[in-house]
Amino acid sequence: MTAADAPPPAGPVHLLVEHAAELVTLAGPPGRGPRRGPAQAELGIIRDGAVAAGADGRIIAVGPTDTVRATTVLAPGAEVIDATGRAVLPGFVDPHTHLVFAGDRVDEFEQRLAGADYLAILAAGGGILRTVRATRAANLAGLSRRAHAALRAMLRHGTTTVEVKSGYGLTTAEELKLLRVVEGLRPSVNQTLVPTLLAAHAVPPEFADDPDGYVRVVCTETIPAVAGAGLARFCDVFCEHGVFSVAQSRRVLEAGLAHGLPPKLHAEQQSHTGGATLAAALRAVSADHLDHATEEDLARLAAAGTVAVFLPGAALMLREAHPAPARQAVAAGVPVAVATDFNPGTSPILSMPLIIGLACLRLGLSPAEALVAATINAAYAVGEGERAGSLELGKRADLVILDAPSYRYLPYCFGLNLVDTVVQRGRVVVRHGRLVSEPPSPSSWVMA
Ligand code: NIG
Ligand code: FE
């Protein structure tokens, strides 16, 4: 490199990770958007790679170690991590979780294993409505403790950005309470949290005979209150037979749009309802689940630029007979993301490495496609694509160092947590698999 084409000198380096066997940058042209089709497998790997963070926790250099060393200076006391023999990747982005809830549903899990149906349990007042009762009875401190424990476990598994839905309150006050829990967690957790309003998650018991009445409340009270308080970035609906119809979902999502909350949608999860068509018509940021989506649905989502978020953990726990059409989505040019769907009913799973494994084993994605789905495309699915999801100049220095030489070991070592080190905004927050500052409390969300 000559002096003329050298990049402008960056500020001093506060954290440097160098000599990565495989630096998986996921870099692409700026503003290009989520990856689709053949680009779903493009990783931008640099051998013997390095990435450097500045004082503000953003990436100031990335490239071959020699180049990064030659073009940067270390600040006094800078942390230098030798990643020889290890793979370095962007932190995972989990674009669909129901993180804030009380209680659990371990007994329903057992009932479903014995043949009970998820939607029938809900129709009988259990399922989501059972978690609603427990969550309404819980206070902010109790809900925060549980959510915090789950976030710590997610961090140990490499997740640095988390979308969090409300949806177990189902009144304006209770939905505000859940979103305030998210707001309150921000100073004490390391991850970037992206809150989504899911007031239309189930019809609450008070409106059992008047679901349209509840939709009216959501549109005229809950959405304006939440948007006015700046507590959510997106609006979501559980569009499903026996829950919210396509027409009701449209009303909610249009009200959200009118109040500045772009749409997301739980669509085609347990049956085909037309939710994906609605998501495409409204140019939703994402359409999630899609277990029963058709080729026509996928073509519409591709044309709309909507990200398909597949949730293979929930599908596995619901024992869906057929894998969701993720391969068809890639072929149709739909950008594909994956998420845990962490919740007490369909997916008490919080590990993105596990989801990457399921994306390969159940959905038929290649390891490279699954990694794109868990990072850059997941970031776009939650409006963070220009700030997270890849190791590129100016983005948050959120990264993971594996106890393995290649990302390909993630799905291969299924069920093993290979995450050794996690860096969040340029600071080491997990070292050798342990949180740097672990509070003296139970590490499982079940006990917290
Ligand atoms: O994404 N499908 C609707 N919502 C969640 C499940 C929530 C629950 O069962 O508590 C899901 O699977
Ligand atoms: Fe969900």
Side-chain angles (χ1 to χ4, degrees):
M1 190 185 289
T2 64
D5 59 18
V13 170
H14 284 251
L15 176 124
L16 174 67
V17 178
E18 62 179 358
H19 297 305
E22 194 177 86
L23 186 81
V24 186
T25 65
L26 290 130
R32 191 175 70 162
R35 302 190 173 201
R36 44 168 89 209
Q40 178 84 38
E42 275 174 24
L43 298 180
I45 290 177
I46 299 173
R47 312 265 164 212
D48 191 3
V51 53
D56 67 353
R58 287 176 199 284
I59 295 172
I60 54 173
V62 55
T65 299
D66 287 353
T67 313
V68 170
R69 275 286 188 170
T71 54
T72 57
V73 280
L74 293 181
E79 168 140 28
V80 178
I81 299 176
D82 181 356
T84 299
R86 287 153 195 268
V88 176
L89 337 165
F92 302 121
V93 177
D94 191 342
H96 182 141
T97 83
H98 304 253
L99 181 82
V100 187
F101 59 83
D104 66 56
R105 309 219 301 269
V106 68
D107 48 353
E108 284 182 10
F109 171 64
E110 235 176 317
Q111 287 159 18
R112 292 204 311 269
L113 289 175
D117 174 69
Y118 175 80
L119 289 174
I121 294 173
L122 174 62
I128 294 172
L129 292 178
R130 179 141 157 248
T131 301
V132 169
R133 287 192 290 279
T135 305
R136 284 179 178 178
N139 61 22
L140 283 178
L143 292 168
S144 302
R145 225 174 17 249
R146 294 271 298 233
H148 196 190
L151 286 170
R152 291 197 301 272
M154 288 177 171
L155 197 61
R156 286 194 294 269
H157 289 85
T159 301
T160 49
T161 301
V162 187
E163 189 254 14
V164 181
K165 300 177 197 298
S166 65
Y168 294 117
L170 309 187
T171 66
T172 299
E174 289 291 327
E175 289 292 303
L176 282 167
K177 178 176 99 180
L178 302 190
L179 293 166
R180 285 200 179 102
V181 168
V182 181
E183 224 27 60
L185 281 166
R186 285 186 199 284
S188 52
V189 302
N190 290 292
Q191 287 106 329
T192 300
L193 305 179
V194 180
T196 293
L197 173 65
L198 178 60
H201 193 195
V203 178
E206 310 81 52
F207 285 90
D209 298 327
D210 182 19
D212 282 322
Y214 181 60
V215 169
R216 238 180 343 266
V217 170
V218 171
C219 295
T220 59
E221 288 179 21
T222 317
I223 289 173
V226 166
L231 286 171
R233 284 203 20 211
F234 299 102
C235 183
D236 195 348
V237 179
F238 184 15
C239 182
E240 183 61 71
H241 284 124
V243 191
F244 294 101
S245 67
V246 171
Q248 291 168 329
S249 302
R250 177 184 273 277
R251 258 176 267 151
V252 173
L253 295 182
E254 283 179 345
L257 269 170
H259 286 84
L261 303 178
K264 285 174 154 288
L265 193 61
H266 283 67
E268 326 296 11
Q269 181 185 8
Q270 318 226 357
S271 58
H272 190 266
T273 61
T277 301
L278 173 64
L282 296 179
R283 295 191 166 273
V285 182
S286 72
D288 301 38
H289 287 287
L290 299 173
D291 299 83
H292 295 268
T294 63
E295 294 286 346
E296 295 75 45
D297 293 333
L298 297 173
R300 290 189 183 110
L301 293 172
T306 297
V307 179
V309 179
F310 290 100
L311 304 158
L316 178 69
M317 295 203 67
L318 290 170
R319 301 203 291 167
E320 279 284 342
H322 300 289
R327 276 255 58 85
Q328 294 88 324
V330 173
V334 184
V336 168
V338 289
T340 62
D341 197 14
F342 177 66
N343 75 76
T346 61
S347 180
I349 297 171
L350 41 66
S351 158
M352 285 298 284
L354 196 77
I355 294 298
I356 289 169
L358 288 175
C360 296
L361 293 163
R362 288 281 301 164
L363 301 180
L365 298 187
S366 69
E369 289 170 333
L371 188 62
V372 166
T375 54
I376 186 70
N377 280 8
Y380 277 106
V382 298
E384 287 290 298
E386 302 299 319
R387 289 178 285 275
S390 63
L391 301 178
E392 293 181 271
L393 294 184
K395 285 198 170 181
R396 289 195 290 271
D398 295 350
L399 59 92
V400 164
I401 306 177
L402 298 184
D403 229 345
S406 167
Y407 74 90
R408 292 176 298 135
Y409 287 81
L410 281 169
Y412 170 67
C413 295
F414 186 69
L416 185 64
N417 185 12
L418 290 174
V419 172
D420 176 87
T421 301
V422 180
V423 170
Q424 176 90 56
R425 296 170 196 262
R427 278 192 318 118
V428 175
V429 289
V430 173
R431 213 186 284 276
H432 304 316
R434 295 179 61 84
L435 291 179
V436 168
S437 55
E438 178 83 68
S441 55
S443 55
S444 131
W445 61 266
V446 177
M447 296 293 288

